[in-house]
Each structure stands twice: as structure tokens, then as C-alpha cells.
Amino acid sequence: MGDPSCIFCKIARGEFNTTFVYQDDEVVAFRDLHPQAPTHVLVIPRQHVDSLAATTAEDDVLLGKVLAGVRATAAQLGLVHSGYRTVLNTGAGAGQSVFHLHAHLLAGRTLAWPPG
Ligand code: 5GP
Ligand code: ZN
């Protein structure tokens, strides 16, 4: 179901005809509107959940599906050998701005550590 006003729920339902670089029964992946690297893709569950902090043990399978979606998306985009970074911002204090859980997949440039 999800929040009818949630932008990522709308994207997952195909309401904006977003191109999915990867999709399966559980997740969809699409390019970030404001890319922070040459490759910047968001992998989201089709099911609405606000954030990692809002999940419980009942969501552990879904969380695994999100990571599996990142793995599949990276393979689809040919990033397995070059490497990629996966980021989950959890809570406004950590930079989360869209409250539908999403994993950032970043690649295509040198990524500094520690992150900013
Ligand atoms: P957060 O800051 O919550 O970790 O990441 C949210 C991300 O979603 C941001 O990188 C932002 O650019 C992206 N974003 C926000 N709205 C949209 C949208 O409507 N379409 C797409 N493709 N990305 C969006
Ligand atoms: Zn949502």
C-alpha cells in the first residue's frame, strides 16, 4: 500500500513512467534526479517503509531483497569489477530527505572515505 503521497511509492507504481535500470517482484531501481556520481541509482522496495530505523525483524527478508537488488543492479550496470558504494541515509540527521527506504548505489568516480 504505502502513503499515497509518497513520491517513491508513485515511482515504484510506474506513475511517472520512470525508466527502471533494474526491477523484480520486490524492488525497483532508477537513476537519482540529482546524481552525486556518474552512476547514481536508487534501489527501493516496492513496499513502503519509512526508513531502516522504522523496520523490524519482520522486514528482514525485505531488507535482504533491497541489498540483493543493489547487487543485481550493479551487475546489470557492469560495476562488479570497478566497485560501487552503497549508502542508506537513515533519519533527517543523517541526510535522509525522502522517507521511503532507499539504497544509493554510487560509482564512476573516486569515492572519498570517510564520507562527508
Ligand atoms: P536521501 O537524501 O533521502 O538519502 O536521498 C533521496 C534521493 O532521492 C536524493 O538523492 C534525491 O536527489 C532523490 N530524489 C528525490 N526526489 C526524486 C525524484 O522525484 N526522482 C528521482 N529519480 N530522484 C529523486
Ligand atoms: Zn513510499
Side-chain angles (χ1 to χ4, degrees), residues 56-102:
T56 69
E58 288 186 358
D59 301 304
D60 286 357
V61 170
L62 184 68
L63 291 172
K65 297 284 187 182
V66 171
L67 273 187
V70 172
R71 178 182 61 203
T73 303
Q76 175 99 2
L77 296 176
L79 300 173
V80 174
H81 293 294
S82 60
Y84 53 92
R85 182 168 293 174
T86 307
V87 174
L88 281 91
N89 294 324
T90 303
Q96 185 175 2
S97 60
V98 177
F99 284 81
H100 177 129
L101 188 142
H102 51 279

Side-chain angles (χ1 to χ4, degrees), residues 1-10 12-13 44-50 98-101:
M1 291 296 284
D3 178 349
S5 68
C6 171
I7 190 85
F8 282 5
C9 281
K10 290 181 179 175
R13 286 195 295 263
I44 73 169
R46 292 181 185 272
Q47 178 187 319
H48 182 92
V49 53
D50 282 1
V98 177
F99 284 81
H100 177 129
L101 188 142

